[in-house]
Amino acid sequence: MAKSKRNRRPRPASTPVRATTAPPPPARSSLPFDGLLPLRAFLGVTFVFAGLQKLADRNFLRAGAPGSIQSQLSSAIHSSPVPWLASASAHAPVAVGLAVAFGELAVGLGVLLGLWTRVAAAGGMVLSLSFFLLVSFHTWPYYYGSDIAFLLAWSPFVLTGGGQVSLDAWVERRVPAAESRVPSAAGSRSRRVLLQKAGVAGIVAGAGAAVAGLTAAIGHSGRAASGPTTIAPGGSGSTSTPATTGSGSGPTTVAQPAGTAIGASTDVPLGGAAQFNDPATQSLAYVLQPTAGKFVAFSAICTHAGCTVDFSAGDRRFTCPCHGSVFNALTGAVVQGPAFDPLPSIPVVEGADGKLYADG
């Protein structure tokens, strides 16, 4: 006989199955690795070194010295796509040279330490753009010029800042977040962050200035390097009359040759070189006296990127301080690249009056 429905016990409701959550991922480090850190270190160290090197170079601010800021600006006037910028800078070369050296030092320290990184990187872009326009604009192929690569290498830090491994991030972590979303509280925190960054920047600037002063003192403590002499332009600089000869069998008398007087031949040391301005281009040039009474002259403008080459009397070579090209000082031929073309030769002869004449 079937059991009555009244005696049946109701089945308990099925207990719902709770969804299990996945275990939380492992906590990440508070200072994750920054993929741009190697690039930031390279740019920072490079610009710090460049600034200190200029301050230590006793010839960098000395007018007429090989590789000086004056000679570089003078060359840029004739080779830069923005000659007005080079011409304006040439009116105050010492101030421009100091601004470049300390600018490189400030930019390098800021990016290296990650302090005001975006501002420092923007300053690096301005410096690199200036170097590109004044120095390496005519470098061919373009990828041989480093300034254009530096110009683009700064851009990630202008866009993203210094990342977590930086003094900027350290200051941000030191200042507690505002507990309220009231605008006044957020503004107060922003001011505190700004003031702390300014304080840290002051400490870094003081340390950088001390290092810069010590570097300059050490670099200038020794005897100044003796570069080529500079010959004073002779005469009025006008074109002279052509050579004439005497009649009959008497001795030949040679008048001053055609060309522009650039100075006395006695100003060029035997086995050495002297600087002068090429009358044709008004750019810096060298005249050498390899043997007594024999003179050769070449443009001092490197054919690679337009920098001013230095003369080395020991091995009779011209060396470019910008990218390392080396030229034979007797022929102007390329000894070591990246330059391909030799230094342009300048015709120069000695007149009967003891003066040298160029471009005759």
Side-chain angles (χ1 to χ4, degrees):
M1 183 176 176
K3 294 183 179 179
S4 173
K5 293 182 179 181
R6 295 179 179 177
N7 296 332
R8 292 181 181 178
R9 296 181 179 179
R11 294 181 179 179
S14 58
T15 305
V17 179
R18 295 182 180 178
T20 58
T21 57
R28 294 183 178 181
S29 171
S30 60
L31 295 178
F33 175 74
D34 186 355
L36 293 177
L37 192 58
L39 178 60
R40 206 182 90 204
F42 170 77
L43 293 173
V45 170
T46 300
F47 268 59
V48 168
F49 175 77
L52 292 178
Q53 186 184 44
K54 289 179 176 63
L55 294 173
D57 185 359
R58 59 176 63 91
N59 289 327
F60 179 65
L61 299 175
R62 186 162 63 93
S68 66
I69 184 65
Q70 290 90 340
S71 62
Q72 294 182 44
L73 291 174
S74 177
S75 302
I77 292 175
H78 306 284
S79 60
S80 170
V82 286
W84 55 268
L85 178 60
S87 179
S89 301
H91 289 294
V94 174
V96 171
L98 290 174
V100 169
F102 281 103
E104 288 178 330
L105 182 59
V107 165
L109 286 175
V111 172
L112 182 63
L113 301 176
L115 181 62
W116 298 98
T117 311
R118 284 188 170 90
V119 176
M125 292 190 75
V126 172
L127 286 173
S128 297
L129 178 61
S130 302
F131 300 155
F132 171 67
L133 293 175
L134 295 176
V135 178
S136 60
F137 181 81
H138 294 289
T139 300
W140 182 258
Y142 74 91
Y143 47 79
Y144 279 160
S146 60
D147 296 318
I148 191 171
F150 277 106
L151 175 62
L152 296 176
W154 291 113
S155 57
F157 305 105
V158 175
L159 298 174
T160 64
Q164 291 297 314
V165 188
S166 64
L167 285 180
D168 286 336
W170 177 75
V171 171
E172 291 279 354
R173 290 191 296 268
R174 277 177 54 87
V175 179
E179 297 180 358
S180 174
R181 294 186 178 182
V182 179
S184 59
S188 175
R189 181 179 184 275
S190 299
R191 286 191 295 271
R192 292 166 62 189
V193 170
L194 182 65
L195 291 175
Q196 290 208 17
K197 284 186 179 181
V200 175
I203 296 174
V204 173
V211 173
L214 180 62
T215 301
I218 294 175
H220 292 256
S221 60
R223 184 179 178 181
S226 58
T229 58
T230 301
I231 56 178
S236 61
S238 60
T239 303
S240 61
T241 59
T244 60
T245 58
S247 60
S249 58
T252 300
T253 59
V254 181
Q256 56 191 39
T260 303
I262 60 173
S265 60
T266 54
D267 290 338
V268 185
L270 180 62
Q275 295 177 337
F276 70 98
N277 288 328
D278 182 6
T281 63
Q282 293 303 310
S283 58
L284 194 66
Y286 287 103
V287 57
L288 292 80
Q289 186 178 191
T291 58
K294 179 181 179 182
F295 298 90
V296 293
F298 301 95
S299 169
I301 309 305
C302 178
T303 55
H304 171 240
C307 296
T308 303
V309 298
D310 299 334
F311 172 70
S312 174
D315 51 9
R316 291 187 176 181
R317 290 184 173 186
F318 295 117
T319 303
C320 178
C322 294
H323 305 102
S325 296
V326 179
F327 304 86
N328 187 311
L330 301 182
T331 64
V334 177
V335 177
Q336 173 182 306
F340 291 109
D341 300 323
L343 293 176
S345 176
I346 301 173
V348 60
V349 294
E350 182 181 13
D353 55 358
K355 295 180 181 178
L356 294 176
Y357 293 83
D359 295 321

